[in-house]
Amino acid sequence: MKFFVDTADVEAIKELTALGMVDGVTTNPSLIMKSGRDILEVTKEICEIVAGPVSAETVALDAEGMIAEGRKLAKIAPNITVKVPLTWDGLKACKVLSDEGHMVNVTLCFSANQALLAAKAGATFISPFVGRLDDINVDGMELIADIRTIYDNYDFKTQILAASIRTVNHVSQAAMIGADVMTAPPEVIRKLAAHPLTDKGLEAFLKDWEKTGQKIL
Ligand code: G3P
């Protein structure tokens, strides 16, 4: 499973990239707002750090506007993925932009039928929002599993990008189901390394090591 980092925080992206944890980046208007940076500037900087796909989201509501914004965003760097919302206009924009050869990430997906439409419109990625479904007491992981089944049934090439990933369990569950990609905030990716038995085991090893009186260096 590819790891995308869901942030516009350049320092966090640099840190995780150095560890080989970043196959791509996703941003959205809320994350740009949080960064306090200009969208074109910060996205360009991210594309210089990360070789993989970097999603930059359009904000127009009509297809023409999304297409124009998408074309402008795509000029930032060759690895830009234009992100459009899963609306009828978003699907129109997806078709035009993907026919032009741009990578397109269709976002704000909350149903299997929406994911089916995105695949038919040529999306490179579909972003089902797991955490936001969990928020309304719907199992977000069931949606990932349904989309996996549908895409496999018909050999759709659109990649499932599990988004709105909030917990470490979301990550392992998405991987078990076979999501192609997951995007998570840096803090969730860091938490994947943590386990209380690792900490406990390390503490015991170090106590015993002290008793040996030895040194490695
Ligand atoms: O990848 C989508 C993500 O940015 C939304 O996450 O936690 O705001 O639902 P969240």
Side-chain angles (χ1 to χ4, degrees):
M1 182 168 63
K2 281 174 262 185
F3 272 26
F4 286 4
V5 58
D6 196 31
T7 188
D9 176 342
V10 170
E11 289 314 310
I13 293 169
K14 280 185 189 160
E15 180 212 334
L16 292 169
T17 300
L19 282 172
M21 299 295 169
V22 180
D23 301 304
V25 171
T26 50
T27 65
N28 61 37
S30 305
L31 293 170
I32 296 294
M33 188 267 296
K34 209 170 150 193
S35 76
R37 304 269 313 266
D38 173 82
I39 183 171
L40 299 178
E41 271 177 34
V42 74
T43 308
K44 187 168 188 290
E45 200 177 330
I46 294 169
C47 288
E48 282 161 7
I49 301 165
V50 176
V54 173
S55 288
E57 190 159 341
T58 58
V59 290
L61 292 178
D62 62 305
E64 265 186 32
M66 287 181 213
I67 293 164
E69 288 176 355
R71 286 177 182 150
K72 180 166 180 180
L73 291 169
K75 282 198 186 121
I76 296 174
N79 54 332
I80 283 288
T81 300
V82 179
K83 210 169 169 188
V84 297
L86 212 155
T87 58
W88 201 247
D89 278 76
L91 292 168
K92 283 185 197 166
C94 173
K95 177 78 177 114
V96 170
L97 291 166
S98 53
D99 281 354
E100 287 177 1
H102 301 298
M103 290 188 284
V104 180
N105 176 358
V106 181
T107 188
L108 290 167
C109 170
F110 295 95
S111 80
N113 280 331
Q114 287 182 317
L116 184 52
L117 292 178
K120 292 188 76 69
T124 317
F125 301 101
I126 181 69
S127 289
F129 274 32
V130 173
R132 291 193 194 183
L133 280 171
D134 288 356
D135 285 344
I136 58 161
N137 217 15
V138 175
D139 186 351
M141 278 303 151
E142 265 181 34
L143 175 59
I144 302 290
D146 289 349
I147 300 172
R148 181 74 284 155
T149 302
I150 291 169
Y151 281 9
D152 289 349
N153 281 348
Y154 299 99
D155 203 21
F156 283 119
K157 299 297 175 220
T158 300
Q159 297 180 50
I160 303 174
L161 196 173
S164 185
I165 293 286
R166 310 244 183 91
T167 69
V168 292
N169 286 346
H170 281 158
V171 178
S172 50
Q173 285 163 5
M176 298 272 286
I177 291 167
D180 301 283
V181 191
M182 74 89 201
T183 189
E187 53 276 19
V188 172
I189 296 177
R190 288 189 202 105
K191 269 191 207 154
L192 296 174
H195 198 287
L197 290 180
T198 305
D199 296 342
K200 199 175 161 198
L202 194 56
E203 204 185 317
F205 284 157
L206 288 182
K207 266 193 192 145
D208 288 342
W209 181 246
E210 247 176 57
K211 288 178 203 155
T212 70
Q214 296 180 42
K215 283 201 164 108
I216 295 175
L217 288 177

